[in-house]
Amino acid sequence: MQWRQSTDCCDWSGVDCDEAGHVIGLDLSTESISGGIENAASLFSLHYLRSLNLARTSFNGTQIPSKLANISSLTYLNLSDAGFAGHIPLQISSMARLVALDFSFNQFSGSISSIRWEHLLNLVYAVLSDNSLNGSIPRSMFEFPIFSNASSSALDTLDLSGNRLRGSIPVSVFELKKLTSLLLSSNNLHGTVQLDKILNLGNLAKLDLSYNSLAVDESSRNYSFSPMLELLNLASCKLREIPNLKNQSQLQYLYLSENQISREIPNWIWRVSVVGLHCLNLSHNLLVGFQGPYSIPALRFIDLSSHQLRGNIHQLPNNLIYIDFSNNNFTSSIPADTGNFMPRLRYFCAANNGLTGIIPASLCNATTLSLLDLSNNSFMKKSDAFLNCLLQTLDLNGNRLQGTVPKSIANCKMLEVLNLGNNQFSDKFPCWLYDAPSLH
């Protein structure tokens, strides 16, 4: 609607031209475009076009027209979250100048083996995540033909996560020396991946093999991950031990949940990374304790739920946003000042443990907290101070709390879920709770 025929198209919003006046860039992302582009003759005639961005539009299940390959000069093609469906046309193979391709968050189906990936010699960035693609991962994505002069693949980022791909990971993927990001999570891939094979990827910064039917073998103790690693997600990969990450300097996100890891959490894990570990998820394993001495660093997200962890909950760092210690064997009490130094804390769950003593007033007063779940413990006393809190969920069910229900809960104007059952309160359901505006 902003384009006016009376003005030079090179001045239009979303249009980029070179010095000769040729249209070389077209960015229509987030525009209210619907229908299809199969009849967009003017688009397919832009022979100088290098960059096309149609992300977050609404093509409502239409297919990518094969004519799109007529724009042979394209180096950047972004069709993410645009509502496309059907098979990815074979003609994409002829777009030999493509450097970056993003087809994520659409409804593409069929096999990606139909694309002749070996013809896309310049492809650096390939994102096909969150579609319904099936079949196996083709070796042609990683093996270059004999007629290529390239000594190795230029591929830097490969994201095939959130599809229906099956089969094993081609061995040739571990020869991509320039690869910095390999994301294959949430597919139906199977087989065993040797951890030391992954280590051939010396520039790897992000690795996600989670939620497949893969088994990652870490039995060789001679491996050492590349110090470039920033994200490692091996959730549900049949791991029996925490991989050796001692030499990491850049690691920020570590997800090892739903494995078979036993024994103690090693104390070196809290010192890994110079930049500081932001997220740690070790939930749903068989861990029994903490190797000492240890001190939890300035994490933002920590999930140690569903283990057999025992002992005390120690003083926690002040940057935490999310804490889940539920379904363990923690005993004793929560430190009294736990909530005083956590200005960003939003989620605190320590349900199903053996915690005793007083529920700290510092937690009740945490101004950013939206969920507090301390259910099924042995707390005897409560704080009476719920002041100006943003709590949406408060679950104290299954404790030994006595006295009256604190009236200060009425100050939690955003409270939607309240469970105080199975305690020893003298007032079963105070009438003032009926006036809670959002409680259901």
Side-chain angles (χ1 to χ4, degrees):
M1 295 298 293
Q2 301 171 9
W3 292 359
R4 296 288 181 264
Q5 296 291 333
S6 59
T7 60
D8 188 344
C9 71
C10 293
D11 295 328
W12 292 351
S13 173
V15 177
D16 188 23
C17 297
D18 61 14
E19 294 181 355
H22 300 128
V23 176
I24 60 172
L26 189 58
D27 185 351
L28 299 177
S29 59
T30 69
E31 293 288 349
S32 300
I33 302 174
S34 59
I37 58 172
E38 62 275 2
N39 296 319
S42 56
L43 173 63
F44 305 135
S45 65
L46 296 175
H47 299 301
Y48 295 91
L49 193 65
R50 300 174 196 166
S51 175
L52 176 61
N53 189 349
L54 298 177
R56 298 180 299 283
T57 46
S58 303
F59 289 107
N60 300 326
T62 59
Q63 291 189 312
I64 299 177
S66 58
K67 296 177 188 177
L68 189 64
N70 293 346
I71 315 175
S72 58
S73 58
L74 272 183
T75 60
Y76 174 87
L77 177 59
N78 189 345
L79 303 181
S80 66
D81 195 17
F84 285 108
H87 291 201
I88 299 173
L90 173 63
Q91 288 78 6
I92 293 291
S93 309
S94 65
M95 304 176 75
R97 296 185 183 181
L98 271 181
V99 173
L101 177 153
D102 191 343
F103 287 175
S104 60
F105 294 99
N106 282 286
Q107 303 160 39
F108 292 122
S109 58
S111 173
I112 58 176
S113 300
S114 60
I115 306 298
R116 295 172 183 169
W117 297 98
E118 67 272 19
H119 291 182
L120 302 177
L121 299 178
N122 297 300
L123 196 62
V124 171
Y125 182 91
V127 176
L128 302 171
S129 59
D130 296 282
N131 284 283
S132 297
L133 298 168
N134 55 38
S136 59
I137 300 176
R139 291 187 300 174
S140 61
M141 295 193 83
F142 321 114
E143 296 178 349
F144 278 65
I146 297 175
F147 57 79
S148 171
N149 293 323
S151 59
S152 64
S153 169
L155 202 61
D156 171 277
T157 296
L158 177 63
D159 187 352
L160 301 176
S161 58
N163 282 287
R164 301 173 183 174
L165 300 173
R166 59 182 184 273
S168 58
I169 301 175
V171 176
S172 50
V173 73
F174 302 118
E175 301 299 325
L176 300 177
K177 304 299 184 183
K178 298 179 182 178
L179 199 64
T180 65
S181 183
L182 177 61
L183 309 176
L184 303 176
S185 68
S186 302
N187 281 287
N188 299 315
L189 301 172
H190 60 76
T192 299
V193 178
Q194 301 293 331
L195 206 53
D196 54 356
K197 295 291 186 184
I198 301 174
L199 304 178
N200 289 329
L201 305 174
N203 291 310
L204 199 63
K206 297 178 181 179
L207 175 65
D208 190 348
L209 304 180
S210 62
Y211 299 108
N212 285 281
S213 295
L214 294 168
V216 173
D217 183 3
E218 80 292 356
S219 59
S220 171
R221 305 308 298 169
N222 297 320
Y223 63 80
S224 179
F225 275 102
S226 160
M228 303 294 293
L229 204 63
E230 299 174 4
L231 178 148
L232 177 63
N233 191 342
L234 298 178
S236 189
C237 284
K238 301 180 176 65
L239 282 171
R240 294 184 178 274
E241 296 184 33
I242 294 177
N244 179 10
L245 302 168
K246 292 182 181 179
N247 74 326
Q248 294 309 303
S249 60
Q250 306 299 315
L251 191 64
Q252 299 178 51
Y253 304 92
L254 178 59
Y255 306 96
L256 302 176
S257 60
E258 298 182 49
N259 282 291
Q260 301 159 19
I261 302 171
S262 59
R263 296 184 286 189
E264 293 182 320
I265 300 174
N267 57 13
W268 57 257
I269 204 168
W270 311 111
R271 301 188 300 271
V272 73
S273 179
V274 172
V275 298
L277 200 62
H278 292 169
C279 297
L280 176 65
N281 189 341
L282 299 177
S283 64
H284 296 274
N285 278 284
L286 304 170
L287 295 162
V288 298
F290 300 84
Q291 182 186 42
Y294 75 93
S295 177
I296 299 178
L299 292 164
R300 298 177 187 171
F301 176 109
I302 183 168
D303 191 342
L304 300 179
S305 63
S306 300
H307 290 284
Q308 301 168 30
L309 295 171
R310 56 183 180 268
N312 300 339
I313 292 180
H314 291 264
Q315 187 64 53
L316 297 167
N318 58 13
N319 283 343
L320 275 167
I321 297 173
Y322 181 106
I323 307 169
D324 193 344
F325 287 167
S326 62
N327 302 307
N328 280 289
N329 296 321
F330 287 117
T331 54
S332 75
S333 59
I334 299 175
D337 59 351
T338 294
N340 286 342
F341 307 106
M342 296 185 182
R344 303 169 64 191
L345 185 63
R346 296 181 183 176
Y347 184 105
F348 189 100
C349 182
N352 303 307
N353 280 283
L355 297 170
T356 61
I358 301 175
I359 298 174
S362 62
L363 271 180
C364 302
N365 291 332
T367 56
T368 59
L369 196 63
S370 62
L371 181 145
L372 177 60
D373 186 351
L374 300 176
S375 60
N376 298 312
N377 281 283
S378 297
F379 289 108
M380 300 288 290
K381 297 181 180 180
K382 64 189 184 306
S383 168
D384 291 326
F386 289 88
L387 303 176
N388 303 316
C389 65
L390 299 179
L391 275 176
Q392 297 177 20
T393 298
L394 175 62
D395 193 343
L396 304 179
N397 173 61
N399 282 281
R400 300 177 184 176
L401 301 174
Q402 301 176 359
T404 59
V405 175
K407 291 185 178 180
S408 58
I409 290 178
N411 295 328
C412 302
K413 302 299 184 183
M414 300 180 67
L415 195 65
E416 297 178 356
V417 177
L418 175 65
N419 190 348
L420 303 176
N422 297 304
N423 281 286
Q424 300 172 22
F425 290 118
S426 57
D427 47 348
K428 297 300 182 182
F429 197 86
C431 61
W432 52 263
L433 279 177
Y434 285 106
D435 297 326
S438 56
L439 196 62
H440 59 260

